[in-house]
Structures are given as C-alpha cells and as structure tokens.
Amino acid sequence: MHGGFSGSRRSVVTRLERSLGQWPAAAAILLIFGLGILWGIWFRLDLVCGDTSSYFYASRLWMRAGRFTDALSLVFSPLYCAYYAQAIRAFSDAGVATIVHRVVLLLATSVAILAVGRRVLPRIWAWLLAAWWIALPINWGGMFEVHLFGFCLLMIACACAGASRSAWARGAALALLATDALLVRNELLLAVGCFGLLCLVEIVRKKTFRGRLETSVKLVAPVLMAAVFALVLFGANIRDFSFSKIRKQFVYRERANFVQVYAFNYQQRHPEWKGDPWVGGEELLVKDFGRGKVTFSEALGRNPRAWMEYVMWNVSLVPKGLQLAMFSGYAGSVAPDWGEWALQRFHQPGWIMIIPAVICGIGMWQLLKRRRIAPLFQRRWTPALWTWLFLLSCVPTSLAAIVTQRPRASYIYPLTLLLMLVTTLSVRLLAGKLCQIRGFNRRLLTWIPEAIAVGLLFFLPGSNWPAGGRQSLLQDYERVKEHQALFTHNHVFCTNRRCADKLVQYICVDPKPVKLAAWADVRKRIEGGDGPEEALLALGITELYLDRPDTAAPELGDWRQSAVASGNWRALSLVHDGARSWEFWSRIKRSAAPSP
C-alpha cells in the first residue's frame, strides 16, 4: 500500500515537472495562476485620477480619427493609446475597458518574462521567476498602465534578442526596442543606444566583409520595417511632425512633469510644506529656480544646490525603491513611491535586503568559479548571453529615471527584473551547491521550485482583491455615463466630487471637452448672499452632479422645487437614499446662461 502511494506521488511530481518544462503547458499554467492572482480585480480597481484618464480620452479620439495628427500625440505614448483604443472599441464602458486592458497587459508581460527566464534559467526556475513577478501587488496593482505597456514590449524584445543565434533575432529586438522608445517610453532611447552598440560589436566581430554585410542587413531590415509601421500609424501628415514642433512638445512635457516630481520630493524633505504637490508645485519652483516651470537641465543651471538636494534625495530612496519593487514593501516611514502601495511597510527591514544580497553574492561567486564569463570571448555569443546583455543595456534607463524622477517600481522595471533574475539564478546555484556538499538527491533542484509553484497556485490566487474596496470615480462614471450626450464643449459641468476633470475625460466623447465650473465657487457665492439659482446662473452651469453631503444642504431644498416649477431645470437622476443620495440636473434654458 505504501509503495503504491509512493509511486502515485512520484507520478504526479513527474507530470508536473514535465508540464512546466514544456512551453505551451508552462505558459498555460502561468496564465491560470495569473488569473487567480487577479481574481476579483473588478471589485476594487477604480478608474485612475491621473495619467490613465488622459490616455483614455486620447485613445478614444484616436479611435474616432483612425490616426494621430499632431506632435503632441507623438510625445504622449501613441502606441499605448492605439492599444487602449482597441479595448475601448471592444468594450464601450470605461471601467470594463480599463480593467480588461490591464489584465491583458499583466498576463502578456508574465508570459514574456517566462520566455526570457527560459533563456538563462532551468525551465522550472524560469516559471518560478514569472510567477514571482506577477504575484507582487506592486506590479498588478500599480497606478498607471502605460508603464506596464512599455515594459511588456521591452520583455518581448528581450525574448527576441535571445531567441536564436541568428542576427535576425537581434534585429527584431532592436526594432521593438526602438519602437518602444519612440512611441511609448522615450527614456528607453538610452537602452536603444547601448544595445545598438552591442549590435555594432556583433558586426565588427565578423571576419569577412560578406559576413559583416549580411549581419548589417539582418539588423537594419527589422528597424526599417518598424519605421514604416510608425509612419502608417501616424498617417500621411508628416508636416505636422517637424523637429521644432516635436522638440517643443517634449520640453512642455518635461516641464509639466518636473513641477510635480520636484514638489513631491520637496514635501518629503520638508514636511512643514502643506501644499498639494500635484497642483501647487509651481510656487516651489518659483522660490528655488525663479520660474514656475523648468526642465531638469534648466533647474541645474538656475540653482545647482537645490538641484543636487533633489537628486541626492532620489538616490537615497534607492534601497526602499528596490525593496518595494522586488517584495512589494519597504522599510521606514518615507515612501519611494506614491499611491496606495506607498503604505506597504516591513517590520524587519534589515533581513529583506541582507538575505537576497547574500544569496546573490554567493551565486555570483559560483559563476566566477565556474568561469561563466568565458562566453564573452567566444567567436559566437550564445542566446543566453544576448539575453543578459539586453537586460544590462536597459539598466542605464532605470538609473536615469532614479536620478531625474525617483526609484518608483514602474520606473525601474528593467533593473528590478535583472535583480530578480540574478536572485533566482543564485538560489538555483546555491541549492545545487548544498546538494553537492550534503550528498542530497539532485532532483531536489526541481522539487524545490515545484513545491513553491504548487504552493503559489493553491494559496495566493483569489486573495488579493477583496470585495468592498472603494471605487468612487468608477461609481461617479457609472452614474452619469448615460448622459454623455450633454458633455459637449458648449456645456458647463459642475460637481462636488473629486477629480472632476478626470471624470469628464472618461465621459466626454466630444473632441472639445465640456467646460468645468468649481462647486467651491458656487458655495462661495451662496455664502456671500446669492441664492443657488443665481450662483449657478452666474457661473453659466448647465449640468450639475451632486453627491453627499451637499445633497442634504438646506438651501438646496427650496431650489429643487423652484427649479422644476420654473421649467429652467430638469432632474435627470434624483436618488435620496441616505448615504447613497445623489442627483444629476440639466438646465433646459441654456441660452439664458452667460458664459463663465
């Protein structure tokens, strides 16, 4: 009886080992695991009050026009907008489209990481690496999907770089990397330069002129195809993309970005400053640099001392940033990121970095003892070596992001994956050395990751997105989306809800968005003696969306009756249900309302 059970158990382990060793089965199991991790995402994931809303609006405009027609589109990740537009086309609802396009990105990225890992790791350990990445909350719960889209293309390019010994593989990788840099994440131009130099080395290493010519053609042809793809994506209006216009938009984006990142950095260094870093940073730049908007390089020229303090603070956050990126937590009270994941803290900070550092050190020592750097001097570089070289060429991009921005997890994806890959390889080498020293069965090298994989499959899925999470912006969107026809440029929308401008970007279908009026201005006029109708009329408001607690304001009770009786307003939605009370009003006689 015991022997039968042992044979059955051995059969299960053998089947699992074979399944994870075969590419289709390994990818399928990883996708199932990823779906388990993401299960329940629709209960908590809210529409983002940030970059995602702007990309949603731009994607919908691209979907309607079919192409990009201005230089500003080239600066703000047009390829991502084209991808987002496909989700919007398939699912007209903003909430569904946003969730679906995020899930697809996460699953595709994890499969690409699996392909990269199989180039340099034993297959079972490569699966464990991909599972580690997608299991991290900082990855599947990050704020903006555009960074994830750029990293997904980067991983596909890395998988291509090590796909074969042929130069066609490096050409495809270079083309994808250049496309990613030009049309998604411009900071990857550093990686394009570094990997391009490595490709040039591959050409120079050829002994004959014919070999160099063939290698050059294989490297350049995919890049030319990528250039043709970019031209098709942007249509025939090449005149709209002059160098001066593109440069102007790049400067505009960099200045707008530096205002926010500098203010956030300053607030961490000077907690006594109580301003809003997202909208109130210009006052700090005026104080430190003499202008409300400057670029990173302009700031250096105007005030080197303030610039250096900013940079050194970002560098000091690197250990915390790596902890958050690799383990979804950090030590201390100062967050290396912003958003809800900045709240994840470790109670034992020392061990979180010491243990991986020791493991990596032992693993690298084992590599040096085995003289694994010898392939650098071989006549033909192996696909595994090209995979490592590609990842190393992306490290300068992460370092530049740390200096100019901060060590956010989504800014240092390439560096994080490289460290995770080194850690996984080091654990594998350390386990092999222990088996050799202690005389253990070598099959432990496959049983250990299999046990971890099974544990991940059984214990992690389904526990990450609990029901009842706050989806306030999504709730606002669901309430007013049936009135999308009213959100045109000749209307004025007012609400007491947060992120009113972002709500409009998710709702508005007109190329010219609806005008906004602040509810705080309405309240100020009412407190100054005006009635609600006079205040609304003075600001030219044509649509009004109110939620608690303002729906219970005494002065609005009489206004509701008079608004309906006078025929000036109609209540499109009127819900009075305690804490869930809300109402949506639309002005009928809009011609009587002056422009705000």
Side-chain angles (χ1 to χ4, degrees):
M1 192 71 177
H2 176 75
F5 174 76
S6 178
S8 175
R9 181 175 57 187
R10 189 181 300 111
S11 176
V12 171
V13 173
T14 302
R15 290 179 181 177
L16 178 61
E17 180 181 344
R18 290 177 179 176
S19 296
L20 293 179
Q22 298 175 358
W23 167 251
I29 295 174
L30 181 64
L31 290 176
I32 294 173
F33 172 72
L35 288 173
I37 290 290
L38 302 174
W39 194 261
I41 187 173
W42 46 86
F43 291 134
R44 185 178 172 188
L45 184 64
D46 195 8
L47 292 176
V48 180
C49 286
D51 294 355
T52 301
S53 63
S54 301
Y55 285 118
F56 182 89
Y57 182 69
S59 300
R60 185 149 50 189
L61 293 182
W62 181 89
M63 183 180 65
R64 299 181 67 177
R67 58 188 174 88
F68 298 103
T69 57
D70 55 40
L72 186 63
S73 302
L74 181 62
V75 174
F76 287 95
S77 307
L79 190 58
Y80 168 70
C81 291
Y83 163 71
Y84 203 174
Q86 306 313 310
I88 299 172
R89 191 190 306 274
F91 309 95
S92 57
D93 185 272
V96 177
T98 301
I99 290 174
V100 169
H101 101 291
R102 175 184 284 239
V103 170
V104 171
L105 278 178
L106 286 167
L107 296 180
T109 305
S110 64
V111 172
I113 291 175
L114 174 64
V116 170
R118 288 165 69 95
R119 302 279 182 256
V120 294
L121 292 172
R123 295 174 178 180
I124 185 69
W125 292 85
W127 190 95
L128 191 60
L129 170 71
W132 178 10
W133 184 88
I134 198 172
L136 292 175
I138 192 63
N139 292 329
W140 49 256
M143 292 179 67
F144 307 130
E145 295 84 358
V146 63
H147 305 291
L148 184 63
F149 181 80
F151 182 60
C152 181
L153 290 181
L154 190 68
M155 287 297 96
I156 296 174
C158 185
C160 290
S164 71
R165 292 180 178 271
S166 173
W168 285 111
R170 261 73 68 200
L174 185 61
L176 283 172
L177 184 58
T179 302
D180 196 1
L182 291 176
L183 303 181
V184 187
R185 305 304 303 169
N186 304 129
E187 62 270 17
L188 288 173
L189 288 173
L190 285 172
V192 174
C194 294
F195 190 69
L197 289 176
L198 292 173
C199 293
L200 183 61
V201 171
E202 184 179 16
I203 296 175
V204 173
R205 283 164 58 88
K206 299 296 180 180
K207 300 298 182 181
T208 63
F209 174 78
R210 180 177 179 180
R212 292 177 180 176
L213 181 62
E214 290 180 354
T215 303
S216 300
V217 170
K218 293 177 182 179
L219 291 173
V220 173
V223 177
L224 294 178
M225 294 175 61
V228 173
F229 167 76
L231 292 177
V232 172
L233 182 67
F234 281 89
N237 294 344
I238 305 301
R239 290 175 298 178
D240 293 332
F241 304 104
S242 64
F243 177 78
S244 60
K245 290 183 178 180
I246 294 175
R247 182 179 180 278
K248 182 179 179 180
Q249 296 301 337
F250 270 112
V251 173
Y252 164 78
R253 188 188 72 169
E254 186 178 353
R255 286 175 175 171
N257 170 259
F258 190 71
V259 171
Q260 295 180 334
V261 297
Y262 184 82
F264 198 88
N265 177 296
Y266 184 91
Q267 191 173 57
Q268 287 188 325
R269 289 184 284 123
H270 302 278
E272 66 276 7
W273 184 72
K274 302 301 182 183
D276 186 349
W278 306 118
V279 297
E282 291 192 19
E283 63 178 82
L284 296 177
L285 267 68
V286 170
K287 179 177 70 72
D288 289 345
F289 303 107
R291 288 181 56 183
K293 289 185 178 179
V294 294
T295 64
F296 184 75
S297 57
E298 290 171 347
L300 173 61
R302 288 177 169 270
N303 191 339
R305 181 176 179 179
W307 181 90
M308 182 59 66
E309 290 176 354
Y310 167 81
V311 169
M312 294 308 298
W313 182 261
N314 289 339
V315 173
S316 69
L317 294 177
V318 169
K320 302 175 188 293
L322 293 177
Q323 292 171 21
L324 187 61
M326 295 180 65
F327 306 105
S328 285
Y330 69 96
S333 58
V334 179
D337 205 328
W338 47 69
E340 60 179 307
W341 299 114
L343 302 177
Q344 305 297 319
R345 301 179 184 176
F346 289 130
H347 297 292
Q348 298 293 333
W351 297 108
I352 299 301
M353 294 304 293
I354 292 176
I355 294 178
V358 171
I359 292 176
C360 290
I362 296 176
M364 293 302 98
W365 174 249
Q366 290 297 316
L367 282 178
L368 291 175
K369 287 181 64 177
R370 297 183 183 190
R371 299 180 181 180
R372 291 297 180 89
I373 62 173
L376 287 172
F377 306 100
Q378 292 179 357
R379 184 174 181 180
R380 299 190 66 182
W381 290 352
T382 63
L385 180 60
W386 272 112
T387 302
W388 286 111
L389 292 176
F390 184 94
L391 290 174
L392 288 172
S393 67
C394 296
V395 171
T397 297
S398 297
L399 298 180
I402 290 172
V403 172
T404 60
Q405 304 288 316
R406 63 181 25 245
R408 287 193 66 202
S410 56
Y411 293 164
I412 58 173
Y413 273 142
L415 178 60
T416 302
L417 184 72
L418 180 63
L419 293 177
M420 292 172 66
L421 192 58
V422 171
T423 303
T424 306
L425 177 61
S426 299
V427 172
R428 163 66 177 82
L429 294 174
L430 182 59
K433 189 64 176 179
L434 290 176
C435 288
Q436 179 181 355
I437 295 175
R438 306 298 297 179
F440 295 146
N441 191 329
R442 297 284 297 180
R443 292 185 63 84
L444 281 175
L445 298 179
T446 57
W447 291 348
I448 292 174
E450 284 172 3
I452 298 175
V454 171
L456 291 174
L457 284 171
F458 276 98
F459 294 107
L460 282 183
S463 61
N464 303 294
W465 294 100
R470 297 189 62 184
Q471 297 175 294
S472 55
L473 185 55
L474 179 60
Q475 175 183 267
D476 296 335
Y477 170 81
E478 296 292 342
R479 287 174 174 177
V480 303
K481 70 174 182 179
E482 59 179 301
H483 309 300
Q484 281 183 317
L486 300 174
F487 287 76
T488 58
H489 67 280
N490 58 343
H491 287 227
V492 180
F493 175 67
C494 179
T495 179
N496 66 334
R497 301 290 290 161
R498 67 181 184 91
C499 300
D501 56 331
K502 305 306 178 184
L503 176 62
V504 166
Q505 288 179 324
Y506 284 116
I507 292 290
C508 189
V509 295
D510 196 301
K512 296 181 180 179
V514 64
K515 301 179 181 67
L516 286 172
W519 176 249
D521 294 337
V522 177
R523 297 291 306 175
K524 187 181 299 184
R525 285 182 172 272
I526 293 176
E527 293 171 359
D530 289 347
E533 180 63 24
E534 289 79 6
L536 296 173
L537 187 64
L539 295 173
I541 295 171
T542 59
E543 274 71 40
L544 178 64
Y545 166 53
L546 291 179
D547 197 2
R548 296 279 296 177
D550 292 285
T551 54
E555 59 269 19
L556 292 182
D558 296 335
W559 172 79
R560 291 189 187 94
Q561 298 180 2
S562 61
V564 175
S566 64
N568 291 334
W569 294 85
R570 55 179 174 173
L572 300 180
S573 297
L574 201 60
V575 178
H576 290 165
D577 185 17
R580 291 178 299 211
S581 299
W582 65 278
E583 48 196 66
F584 188 90
W585 295 81
S586 178
R587 183 184 293 276
I588 297 176
K589 297 182 179 179
R590 289 188 296 275
S591 59
S595 300

